[in-house]
Amino acid sequence: MSVTRHTHHHSCTLCEATCGIVVATEGDRVVDIRGDEQDPISRGYICPKATALADLHHDPDRLRRPMVRDGDTWRDVGWDEAFELTAERLKQVRAEHGKDAVAVYQGNPTAHNPGLLLFGQPFFRGLGTRNLFSATSVDQLPQMLASYLMFGHQALLPVPDIDRTDLFVCIGANPLVSNGSVMTAPNMRGRLAALRQRGGRAVIIDPRRTETASRAEHLFIRPGTDALFLLSLVHVLFAHDLVNTGRLGEHVVGVTRVKTAAMDFPPERTAPITGVAPEDVVALARAIATTERAVVYGRVGVCTQEFGGLAAWLLVVVNALTGHLDEPGGAMFTTPAIDPVPLASMAGFAGSFASFRSRVRGLPEFGGELPVATLADEIETGGDSQIRALITSAGNPVLSTPNGARLDRALGQLDFMVAIDPYLNETTRHADVILPPTGPLERSHYELLLTMVAVRNWAKYSPAVFERGEDQRHDWEICLELASRVLGPDSLRIPGKLAASALERLGPETMFELGLRSGPYGLRKLAKGLSLRTLKKHQHGVDLGPLERRLPDRLFTPRKKINLAPCEYIEDLDRLRGRQQAWQPGELVLIGRRQLRSNNSWLHNSERLVKGKPRCTLLIHPDDAERNELTDGQLAVLSSRVGDVEVPVEVSDAMLPGVVSLPHGWGHGRDGVRLGVASAHPGASINDVTDEQYVDELSGTAALSGQRVRVRAVRSPSV
């Protein structure tokens, strides 16, 4: 009997590119996934991860029913029993030890999941605990902090207008592999090719000759010195009379303070530390200032270092001083169809910084969350507000946060842990209850957050490819049920005061409809306005045009001014000056790297993505390999203050001497996980050697890049 084939239009939610896909199904099987050529932003492009959505959907290791720990074993239970146990234990901890005794950790898939954004956030924040943690503080926090301090709102993130720029300066990022990050830009290979075809340039500044750098101009830079390099650029702009704030000049304040601060950092002084020659700094500063359409962009390598706060601030400063902020081809702001920026502001979520600090180490909160680098401290250290229970949602912090081995041990000390997660992985193996949500193809999708950082305005709604089973739950349903049982049925207000039963009937779709109708393309456009019904008719999505000038109207600062010199950054320059005098050029330091067939820690259970030669290797320059008596393919020990891992060596002149690189997200060789494919390809976790004490002191962000390490050969035992 033949099975009818059906075609579905959806979006890949595995990374920030959110490429449009066409999914072919026969019954309950995915038989084909390909790029949607009519998608307005991806235009048929997909990377290898998209096809792995089929592997995720059919993965025999994926949990489909709640599990409860029974000693050292697990048993499947019904949803009601799992919810009842979870609510009872969470309420018990709160009653005995206070609200702060319950902590929450959210992983980065939250950003791709409208259900968790709309229903998870109110629940987690409704718990009233100060111990909220997320992947933000091992990722983009410094960029959000700059937006908060300079523009008045943490979500006002400038985006490179890559499709119209003539000079793309990229620092600490590898967009050919990431397809953009805080820059939703599928097919960066094609976009960079188009840049070259129109006579433009791409300049990549990175300690490694990355996949992106190999197709562009490349300057090596010492990890952790980006703030020094950017300050030297600013110095040259003033010294050579190249500053021009352009159209926004009357809305920019603090230029004189920036000029005074940059005078201490001429390129001749910073070059011995950064490794970027003075003449290259001068030439690049002049090119940025004199190219009509240019943009400076930085990402994870800029953020996750000991001066990530300063570096993220200076990215905006350089764009502003050269007239490329909020201008076509420069760093612009999106106009999303559902615009979370004003909605967040009205709800009191425009941002906050250092309104309180962590109990043990005094690290600052940002946006109501504490830096995850101190999570283990808060679990292990006794006293009032000690963490005794933990909720994890879509996250695997044992592999994703610094000194994961210490956190691994700390999780075993908790009184109770519940994980909203589809896998028994390196983190959830410590849970008492696992509540598995539906998979990406089993839920509808509207891109809420990533349309805020897209290189083109667009909107798309995708219905679920597969209806959820009767015994399955979406993650938003899980959060809603827990909120009702732990906090009470009237605890969530989305919008106004709505009971859990009403919210369950409404679901995310009603929120989409309200957001679209009230957004910039909604009711104000009258009959042509966007609605959910409109998007359902346009299954490929709707192109809303290129980015437009949004400032000063979109600013949330007093008098609509851009604060170019917040005191937090000016004061932190003293710390940079002190470090500048103490830098040790001979130190061996570590950086991570991203890979196209990987996404953090949660795509290694797909055979098609891990097949081939091992990719969890330690890249090392030939000179460093010779100095440490290492050869290509040899097993080496990589060590730091907090631990060591064994990893095969890959000798490569793509590395800057003095720098080694290990990819992020591996380390699956732990007992108690149910990841058959990943366990057979375990690799080593970079976060078993990253030091949780090494942070950007300004923002609390983990300084994953530039960690001091040692490397030696694994010696065979003597016979």
Side-chain angles (χ1 to χ4, degrees):
M1 177 178 173
S2 62
V3 179
T4 303
R5 175 176 289 214
H6 295 279
T7 299
H8 311 263
H9 294 87
H10 207 68
S11 294
C12 175
T13 57
L14 297 180
C15 80
E16 292 182 54
T18 64
C19 299
I21 55 175
V22 181
V23 183
T25 63
E26 293 180 357
D28 62 353
R29 302 293 300 177
V30 177
V31 295
D32 185 48
I33 296 179
R34 63 187 62 189
D36 183 357
E37 295 182 357
Q38 297 182 60
D39 184 281
I41 191 166
S42 59
R43 304 169 190 168
Y45 173 84
I46 56 171
C47 79
K49 290 189 288 291
T51 55
L53 281 168
D55 301 339
L56 286 174
H57 181 71
H58 298 299
D59 192 345
D61 290 330
R62 180 163 72 98
L63 306 179
R64 289 165 171 80
R65 286 176 53 82
M67 295 208 309
V68 170
R69 178 180 296 281
D70 190 0
D72 293 330
T73 62
W74 294 88
R75 59 185 175 90
D76 291 355
V77 299
W79 282 100
D80 193 64
E81 180 181 346
F83 284 135
E84 183 176 358
L85 173 60
T86 300
E88 177 186 348
R89 295 295 300 277
L90 290 176
K91 287 192 291 186
Q92 179 184 359
V93 170
R94 281 162 56 89
E96 294 179 0
H97 304 287
K99 294 179 180 179
D100 292 337
V102 176
V104 178
Y105 175 83
Q106 299 179 75
N108 70 354
T110 303
H112 313 265
N113 189 321
L116 280 177
L117 291 169
L118 291 170
F119 293 85
Q121 302 313 301
F123 167 49
F124 299 141
R125 293 179 182 270
L127 289 167
T129 176
R130 286 188 169 191
N131 284 312
L132 296 176
F133 304 87
S134 78
T136 295
S137 55
V138 285
D139 198 333
Q140 80 285 356
L141 191 158
Q143 288 177 287
M144 296 178 71
L145 177 60
S147 293
Y148 174 65
L149 295 177
M150 301 177 79
F151 308 133
H153 200 299
Q154 64 180 3
L156 272 180
L157 295 162
V159 183
D161 187 14
I162 187 68
D163 293 338
R164 291 185 290 186
T165 196
D166 292 318
L167 174 60
F168 177 58
V169 180
C170 174
I171 309 175
N174 188 8
L176 212 66
V177 168
S178 68
N179 281 305
S181 181
V182 190
M183 176 180 66
T184 296
N187 193 11
M188 277 298 296
R189 185 184 301 270
R191 287 184 150 90
L192 290 177
L195 168 64
R196 291 191 297 270
Q197 289 171 5
R198 59 179 179 265
R201 299 170 60 197
V203 180
I204 313 302
I205 301 161
D206 200 280
R208 179 170 74 94
R209 189 170 61 251
T210 63
E211 292 83 350
T212 307
S214 66
R215 294 175 173 267
E217 302 172 44
H218 177 223
L219 295 173
F220 281 111
I221 188 171
R222 179 85 173 164
T225 67
D226 302 85
L228 286 172
F229 165 73
L230 288 164
L231 278 165
S232 68
L233 278 181
V234 173
H235 178 99
V236 171
L237 292 175
F238 283 108
H240 291 244
D241 197 23
L242 295 170
V243 171
N244 178 9
T245 53
R247 176 181 62 85
L248 294 175
E250 64 180 295
H251 301 284
V252 175
V253 296
V255 174
T256 301
R257 292 187 75 192
V258 170
K259 179 179 180 180
T260 301
M263 288 302 98
D264 290 343
F265 301 95
E268 293 78 15
R269 186 176 299 170
T270 61
I273 301 172
T274 66
V276 183
E279 59 270 23
D280 289 330
V281 176
V282 172
L284 186 59
R286 186 172 295 279
I288 296 168
T290 58
T291 302
E292 182 179 357
R293 297 190 173 194
V295 65
V296 181
Y297 161 80
R299 260 307 285 127
V300 174
V302 167
C303 292
T304 55
Q305 57 172 283
E306 62 179 316
F307 295 101
L310 286 175
W313 162 58
L314 290 164
L315 291 173
V316 181
V317 167
V318 172
N319 283 318
L321 290 178
T322 52
H324 299 311
L325 183 63
D326 198 43
E327 289 293 330
M332 304 194 74
F333 300 88
T334 58
T335 308
I338 298 179
D339 193 351
V341 171
L343 297 175
S345 185
M346 288 187 290
F349 295 138
S352 60
F353 177 57
S355 62
F356 61 90
R357 291 181 175 267
S358 64
R359 179 178 61 104
V360 179
R361 288 166 57 188
L363 298 181
E365 66 81 31
F366 176 74
E369 297 180 352
L370 290 170
V372 73
T374 195
L375 175 55
D377 301 311
E378 298 295 331
I379 296 173
E380 294 175 345
T381 306
D384 292 342
S385 300
Q386 178 186 5
I387 294 173
R388 297 173 180 272
L390 176 67
I391 303 169
T392 63
S393 174
N396 190 356
V398 166
L399 295 190
S400 302
T401 64
N403 199 349
R406 179 189 175 192
L407 181 60
D408 199 9
R409 296 188 297 270
L411 293 180
Q413 302 177 24
L414 292 167
D415 294 344
F416 180 72
M417 177 177 166
V418 57
I420 303 172
D421 200 284
Y423 284 103
L424 183 54
N425 62 28
E426 294 76 18
T427 296
T428 64
R429 68 189 178 127
H430 293 285
D432 297 282
V433 180
I434 302 178
L435 304 172
T438 52
L441 299 180
E442 295 164 334
R443 55 179 179 254
S444 61
H445 185 70
Y446 179 91
E447 195 55 65
L448 278 177
L449 281 194
L450 299 182
T451 52
M452 297 169 58
V453 290
V455 297
R456 190 173 181 86
N457 295 313
W458 58 285
K460 181 180 178 180
Y461 170 80
S462 304
V465 174
F466 298 99
E467 292 296 322
R468 76 159 174 83
E470 184 176 343
D471 203 29
Q472 289 182 291
R473 297 291 184 273
H474 298 306
D475 34 31
W476 67 267
E477 293 176 303
I478 294 171
C479 291
L480 192 56
E481 185 68 28
L482 289 177
S484 177
R485 291 178 182 243
V486 176
L487 304 176
D490 296 330
S491 59
L492 301 190
R493 294 172 168 86
I494 332 172
K497 187 174 182 179
L498 293 174
S501 57
L503 284 171
E504 189 167 8
R505 289 194 300 271
L506 293 172
E509 272 70 13
T510 299
M511 306 305 165
F512 301 158
E513 180 69 14
L514 290 171
L516 289 166
R517 291 284 190 173
S518 62
Y521 308 94
L523 291 175
R524 69 186 71 176
K525 298 288 186 179
L526 302 176
K528 295 182 179 179
L530 272 185
S531 66
L532 188 60
R533 182 179 179 183
T534 304
L535 291 184
K536 287 180 178 179
K537 290 181 179 178
H538 293 79
Q539 56 189 355
H540 307 286
V542 176
D543 186 358
L544 299 172
L547 305 184
E548 300 174 338
R549 296 183 179 96
R550 299 300 313 275
L551 303 185
D553 292 345
R554 201 155 169 79
L555 293 172
F556 285 79
T557 51
R559 306 191 317 275
K560 299 287 186 181
K561 300 294 185 181
I562 299 168
N563 185 1
L564 214 61
C567 61
E568 291 86 349
Y569 297 122
I570 300 301
E571 293 169 1
D572 198 39
L573 288 173
D574 284 340
R575 184 169 64 95
L576 180 63
R577 293 186 183 96
R579 181 73 173 98
Q580 185 179 5
Q581 297 170 1
W583 236 293
Q584 299 297 320
E587 295 174 315
L588 187 67
V589 296
L590 174 68
I591 62 172
R593 69 180 187 271
R594 190 161 180 169
Q595 298 171 321
L596 191 62
R597 287 191 289 142
S598 182
N599 192 27
N600 300 331
S601 65
W602 51 288
L603 277 187
H604 296 147
N605 215 45
S606 165
E607 184 66 48
R608 78 178 79 199
L609 293 184
V610 298
K611 66 182 180 181
K613 65 179 183 179
R615 301 199 312 279
C616 186
T617 60
L618 186 72
L619 288 182
I620 186 170
H621 188 273
D623 292 349
D624 293 320
E626 183 178 5
R627 186 178 304 110
N628 290 280
E629 300 180 342
L630 296 169
T631 58
D632 197 70
Q634 185 177 9
L635 202 61
V637 175
L638 178 70
S639 60
S640 70
R641 182 191 74 84
V642 302
D644 55 63
V645 295
E646 291 189 3
V647 62
V649 167
E650 185 176 347
V651 179
S652 172
D653 64 3
M655 295 303 303
L656 178 69
V659 183
V660 293
S661 173
L662 192 65
H664 172 77
W666 299 86
H668 304 291
R670 289 167 166 82
D671 295 332
V673 302
R674 293 186 188 174
L675 298 166
V677 174
S679 295
H681 303 79
S685 174
I686 188 174
N687 285 316
D688 283 348
V689 293
T690 55
D691 190 338
E692 82 281 14
Q693 301 295 321
Y694 186 49
V695 299
D696 172 23
E697 293 178 17
L698 171 63
S699 68
T701 305
L704 303 175
S705 182
Q707 296 263 342
R708 285 81 170 164
V709 293
R710 302 175 299 279
V711 63
R712 60 177 173 81
V714 173
R715 303 298 182 188
S716 301
S718 56
V719 179

